[in-house]
Amino acid sequence: FCLMAAPGKVAAFRLPPLPTIGEIIKLFRLKALKQLSQNFLLDLRLTDKIVKQAGELKNAHVCEVGPGPGGITRSILSSGVEQLLLIEKDARFIPGLQMLSEAAPGKVHIVHGDILTYKMEKAFPKHLKKNWEDEPPDIHIIGNLPFSVSTPLIIKWLGNVSKRDGPFVYGRTQMTLTFQKEVGERLTANPGSNQRSRLSIMAQHLCTVENCFVIPGQAFVPKPEVDVAVVHFTPLVQPKIEQPFELVEKVVRSAFQFRRKYCFRGIETLFPENGRLKRTEQLMMTADVDPTLRPFQLSMSQFRKLCNAYRKMCDEDPSLFVFDYREELRQKKTTGHLRGSTGQPEQTEEENQL
């Protein structure tokens, strides 16, 4: 338990003797559910290493996402945090987490809920808020995320970074999260890399992204088929593309639509069929981007120019931004424009690609 030292100072926090994570799993008959892509990390040396990547946590406020049986939770508490918020969707883990809460009185708050819908803008005390231009606040998000949640969650949080809402109303809140190794490589991939993707651009234009280290799959129970990357995010003071998140995402998603083809093939999908070629040429020329580059070869600067040029075109014709290429394909199909000689709708090359 936390022992009081001299007035105003607190001695190093140590958890009292507790059952091991393995014993907790047996005690509460916890079993990783495959349909939820759950994997437990039992090695406390590795959980300590993950928490270390978050930086200095002494007296910090931390939110742990999906603590499960509480391995990383113990490492966070041992780092001397002021407050720890645990958000766990699976009710089976709550009793084990309550045991940890009782061992660290006053430090732990448990929420049984879904991180994808939890209102993070009210998760921490108001006095922790900092201006965006200042150093990051003393707030950290840490999580060993199920693979099924990790990508939609980081896209959601990157949207929050762009709008400076959610957990980023407090300033440039840092995140230390786990992903499949391949996703971790995409998040940090440079131009020209085979792993360069939509995720690379969306993450790197808003954050400094660091692939810290890789945990081998055999360290988890049950063992996943892939290794796991620990990735650290620090939001940038100034985004590299200063356009709304939805616009950047639309341009980047379109560019990577046909990954192995020239980038203009994907950029074409930003425009309706009527006038598509002319508008695509106009966009590529305004942005001064070589249309024969592949999407993964484009630099952040080239994506910025494409987004800026597309924004100008949308300002001139607001209907452009709401245009949906996939919806156009569906409508063509249902109106019979894609019917072959048999009377059956043909599968276009675009549909095959999509």
Side-chain angles (χ1 to χ4, degrees), residues 178-191:
T178 61
F179 298 88
Q180 282 179 263
K181 182 186 173 188
E182 187 181 89
V183 177
E185 289 170 349
R186 284 183 200 155
L187 284 161
T188 54
N190 293 317

Side-chain angles (χ1 to χ4, degrees), residues 248-311:
V248 177
E249 188 178 34
K250 185 177 183 185
V251 172
V252 174
R253 186 175 64 241
S254 296
F256 280 98
Q257 196 96 262
F258 307 109
R259 181 180 171 76
R260 300 184 185 281
K261 297 197 173 187
Y262 294 147
C263 64
F264 82 86
R265 284 290 290 111
I267 294 298
E268 278 185 327
T269 66
L270 288 169
F271 304 108
E273 188 174 33
N274 185 19
R276 177 169 289 154
L277 184 60
K278 185 179 177 183
R279 282 174 148 173
T280 304
E281 286 176 353
Q282 179 190 342
L283 177 60
M284 302 302 286
M285 286 178 69
T286 305
D288 190 26
V289 171
D290 181 351
T292 63
L293 288 171
R294 313 288 177 184
F296 59 86
Q297 293 175 309
L298 296 176
S299 67
M300 189 65 75
S301 170
Q302 287 168 317
F303 270 110
R304 178 171 60 248
K305 290 176 182 177
L306 286 168
C307 289
N308 290 344
Y310 180 63
R311 170 65 184 269

Side-chain angles (χ1 to χ4, degrees), residues 69-127:
I72 293 177
T73 314
R74 296 184 186 210
S75 295
I76 295 171
L77 286 169
S78 297
S79 68
V81 295
E82 178 74 21
Q83 288 288 321
L84 175 56
L85 169 66
L86 303 176
I87 301 176
E88 177 55 65
K89 185 178 180 181
D90 192 335
R92 298 174 305 143
F93 296 119
I94 302 297
L97 296 173
Q98 284 172 336
M99 183 184 288
L100 273 177
S101 176
E102 288 161 11
K107 281 188 178 285
V108 180
H109 177 56
I110 302 168
V111 172
H112 176 213
D114 187 343
I115 188 62
L116 287 167
T117 56
Y118 184 73
K119 302 292 184 189
M120 290 288 283
E121 53 269 66
K122 295 179 180 177
F124 305 103
K126 287 181 181 178
H127 73 265

